[in-house]
């Protein structure tokens, strides 16, 4: 139960952070209106967004006033939830890109500013910073992260907006639980290993076909 409350709390934090960052992002787009954004610019902003989220999440997890789990458990589960959150974002963007290519039959060549290597690099960097904060927690306390933390907590305490974001946090909790249950079911049923075996078999078949064509 304590773990569920913790996941729910992080869901609320993520939702409010996304709202605040969305306002900042709109302001940036208004300042750069009429200019096409480059992929490097997109991922610099994404790196800033993820690093700020990691920073705020660490401060929330490191808060010893939270009842229930101890600080170490909060940091461990917080890092796992962050990883699941980032991977979910990555999969959503990749799926959107693939669906667009499918609907247009590949006629429109665009990547929507999506770069697999850059996405993975940003995620790895963000998680590495979270681990770094674990060893040097004083580095997480800076004016920007403290402002975000204070703003998030203030919005969370407001009657109307707080309720809305708590509803979002509830669905975030359900999403995490569904992902965990699906992962466990795949492991228990052996589907994860079957998929890997099928992939290896297809690769072996391709190698065999190539050998036949050469001869």
């Amino acid at each position: 139960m304590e773990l569920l409350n913790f996941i729910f709390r992080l869901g609320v934090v993520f939702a409010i952070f996304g709202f605040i960052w969305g306002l900042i992002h709109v302001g940036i787009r208004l300042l750069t209106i009429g200019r096409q954004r480059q992929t490097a610019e997109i991922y610099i902003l994404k790196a800033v967004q993820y690093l700020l989220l990691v920073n705020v999440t660490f401060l929330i997890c490191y808060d010893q006033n939270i009842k229930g789990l101890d600080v170490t458990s909060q940091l461990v589960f917080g890092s796992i939830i962050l990883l699941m959150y980032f991977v979910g974002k990555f999969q959503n963007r990749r799926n959107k890109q693939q669906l667009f290519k499918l609907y247009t039959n590949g006629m429109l060549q665009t990547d929507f500013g999506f770069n697999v290597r850059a996405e993975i690099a940003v995620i790895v960097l963000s998680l590495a910073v979270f681990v770094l904060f674990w060893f040097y927690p004083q580095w997480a306390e800076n004016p920007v992260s403290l402002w975000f933390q204070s703003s998030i907590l203030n919005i969370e305490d407001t009657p109307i907006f707080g309720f809305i974001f708590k509803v979002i946090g509830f669905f975030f909790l359900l999403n995490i639980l569904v992902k965990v249950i699906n992962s466990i079911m795949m492991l228990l049923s052996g589907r994860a290993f079957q998929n890997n075996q099928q992939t290896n078999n297809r690769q072996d078949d391709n190698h065999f076909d190539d050998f036949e064509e050469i001869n």
Side-chain angles (χ1 to χ4, degrees):
M1 190 64 182
E2 295 172 350
L3 178 58
L4 296 180
N5 290 332
F6 176 71
I7 298 175
F8 169 76
R9 178 77 189 285
L10 284 188
V12 176
V13 171
F14 288 1
I16 299 177
F17 177 87
F19 171 74
I20 297 175
W21 179 259
L23 296 178
I24 296 175
H25 189 260
V26 169
I28 295 175
R29 292 299 300 270
L30 291 176
L31 292 175
T32 59
I33 192 170
R35 181 175 62 85
Q36 184 177 3
R37 296 196 303 169
Q38 302 297 323
T39 302
E41 179 183 352
I42 294 174
Y43 280 100
I44 289 174
L45 286 176
K46 173 162 286 192
V48 173
Q49 176 189 1
Y50 280 16
L51 290 175
L52 284 174
L53 178 59
V54 163
N55 201 337
V56 173
T57 303
F58 179 86
L59 291 177
I60 297 296
C61 295
Y62 199 73
D63 186 1
Q64 300 184 14
N65 294 324
I66 297 179
K67 296 181 180 179
L69 301 173
D70 57 86
V71 176
T72 302
S73 299
Q74 291 177 22
L75 291 174
V76 171
F77 288 118
S79 61
I80 295 174
I81 294 171
L82 272 173
L83 175 60
M84 296 178 66
Y85 178 78
F86 290 151
V87 171
K89 290 286 188 180
F90 170 80
Q91 291 176 338
N92 288 337
R93 292 203 64 191
R94 185 176 61 178
N95 291 339
K96 288 180 181 179
Q97 183 191 40
Q98 292 176 348
L99 285 175
F100 182 82
K101 289 183 178 180
L102 179 64
Y103 289 146
T104 59
N105 293 324
M107 297 179 62
L108 296 178
Q109 298 296 328
T110 178
D111 57 0
F112 297 100
F114 179 80
N115 185 285
V116 175
R117 292 183 178 179
E119 289 277 347
I120 296 175
V122 170
I123 293 174
V124 172
L125 174 64
S126 301
L127 294 176
V129 170
F130 188 89
V131 175
L132 184 65
F133 286 154
W134 197 335
F135 293 99
Y136 302 96
Q138 67 274 13
W139 291 0
E141 297 182 355
N142 55 77
V144 178
S145 62
L146 292 176
W147 179 84
F148 267 95
Q149 182 189 24
S150 176
S151 300
I152 290 172
L153 296 179
N154 290 334
I155 294 176
E156 184 182 4
D157 292 335
T158 57
I160 298 178
F161 285 102
F163 174 77
I164 294 174
F165 287 115
K166 286 177 181 177
V167 172
I168 298 175
F170 173 75
F171 285 105
F172 178 85
L173 171 62
L174 292 181
N175 185 40
I176 293 294
L177 292 178
V178 169
K179 289 182 178 180
V180 172
I181 293 174
N182 288 338
S183 300
I184 295 175
M185 293 299 295
M186 285 188 65
L187 291 175
L188 293 178
S189 62
R191 283 183 295 170
F193 304 103
Q194 291 176 0
N195 291 335
N196 292 332
Q197 185 176 3
Q198 291 175 358
T199 301
N200 293 332
N201 290 337
R202 285 196 297 267
Q203 292 177 351
D204 293 339
D205 292 340
N206 292 335
H207 289 307
F208 183 74
D209 293 340
D210 293 340
F211 179 78
E212 286 186 335
E213 292 175 359
I214 292 175
N215 288 279

